[in-house]
Amino acid sequence: MHVLILGGTTEARRLAEALAARAPGLRVTTSLAGRVAAPRRPPGEVRVGGFGGAEGLAGWMLAQGVDALIDATHPFARTISLNAARAARITHVPLLAVRRPGWVPGPGDTWHEADSLEAAARLLPGLGRRVFLTTGRTGLAAFAALDDLWFLARSVEAPAAPCPRHMRVVLDRGPFTLDAERELLRAHRIDVLVTKDSGGAATAPKLAAAREAGVPVVIVRRPPAPEGVPVVQGPDQAARWITESALG
């Protein structure tokens, strides 16, 4: 039996590890988009690069005899999630989405929700002048016109233009510690944080640091999973679904 995991997340890697431990005879392929030069490779087979849309993904699944498809991509990887849903319909292969729980504001948090990066950018001038931008390297164009603000942008790899005019880039990969996030806010005199609602513990300390410092947070809401696709919150649930439900 062959399981294809659309990966690039901690959850995808942990799912591949769980399947290797629970079902060593199972063929597991993890697909990585190839946007990061040195990704953390999971156990099993690894495929790097795009498929050519939903039809290309469906063709690959049929050619490789895929029996179950797991969408364990980033919560904001909307295009590949839609392609996965369409490919599953074309091939009649069962599909499951893994989505880590989103963050929830707590006492002392000052959150401003936005539906897009562009909407987040429109909120910033009224909230602060020194921005900690943690939305990834591919969305910086939404903030490029804000010449009156200063940005500290953090990403795994260097972003490409267009970018904000006044910006410093920090190349780093989580998990991050609360002490380090506190120091980052202090050292750069950050007075507003922008993030996507990615969820998970690896990058959550920035929210605690912002709460302690009284720094407002602009948080971009995540898109929903495609209609009709069942969703679980973690790799253990997905492993059970594969071993007990999808593959009988």
Side-chain angles (χ1 to χ4, degrees), residues 54-107:
E55 288 73 16
L57 174 56
W60 191 92
M61 290 167 59
L62 290 172
Q64 295 295 320
V66 171
D67 299 290
L69 176 61
I70 308 295
D71 174 13
T73 56
H74 191 276
F76 283 83
R78 180 66 172 167
T79 298
I80 186 60
S81 293
L82 292 172
N83 287 344
R86 176 163 171 75
R89 290 194 298 269
I90 293 172
T91 59
H92 304 288
V93 167
L95 166 65
L96 181 74
V98 182
R99 294 288 183 269
R100 68 188 75 146
W103 291 315
V104 178

Side-chain angles (χ1 to χ4, degrees), residues 144-216:
L146 298 176
D147 290 341
D148 293 336
L149 305 185
W150 182 89
F151 292 87
L152 175 68
R154 182 167 66 194
S155 61
V156 176
E157 295 188 345
C163 296
R165 179 180 177 185
H166 306 292
M167 183 180 76
R168 177 177 177 180
V169 177
V170 174
L171 301 182
D172 204 355
R173 188 204 304 258
F176 303 105
T177 67
L178 179 55
D179 285 343
E181 299 293 61
R182 286 171 177 150
E183 177 58 23
L184 204 61
L185 297 185
R186 186 203 64 78
H188 296 282
R189 296 179 287 117
I190 298 299
D191 57 13
V192 59
L193 165 68
V194 182
T195 187
K196 295 176 178 178
D197 182 16
S198 301
T203 59
K206 62 189 172 187
L207 299 174
R211 181 189 311 121
E212 293 179 358
V215 170

Side-chain angles (χ1 to χ4, degrees), residues 5 19 24-25 40-41 51 60-61 66 68 87 89 122 129 169 174 183 196 213 218 228 230 238 240:
I5 302 172
L19 292 175
R40 296 170 179 171
R41 296 177 72 90
F51 289 95
W60 191 92
M61 290 167 59
V66 171
R89 290 194 298 269
R122 290 193 291 270
R129 313 301 296 177
V169 177
E183 177 58 23
K196 295 176 178 178
V218 178
R240 285 196 299 271

Side-chain angles (χ1 to χ4, degrees), residues 133-151:
L133 195 57
T134 64
T135 57
R137 67 187 179 94
T138 60
L140 298 187
F143 305 90
L146 298 176
D147 290 341
D148 293 336
L149 305 185
W150 182 89
F151 292 87

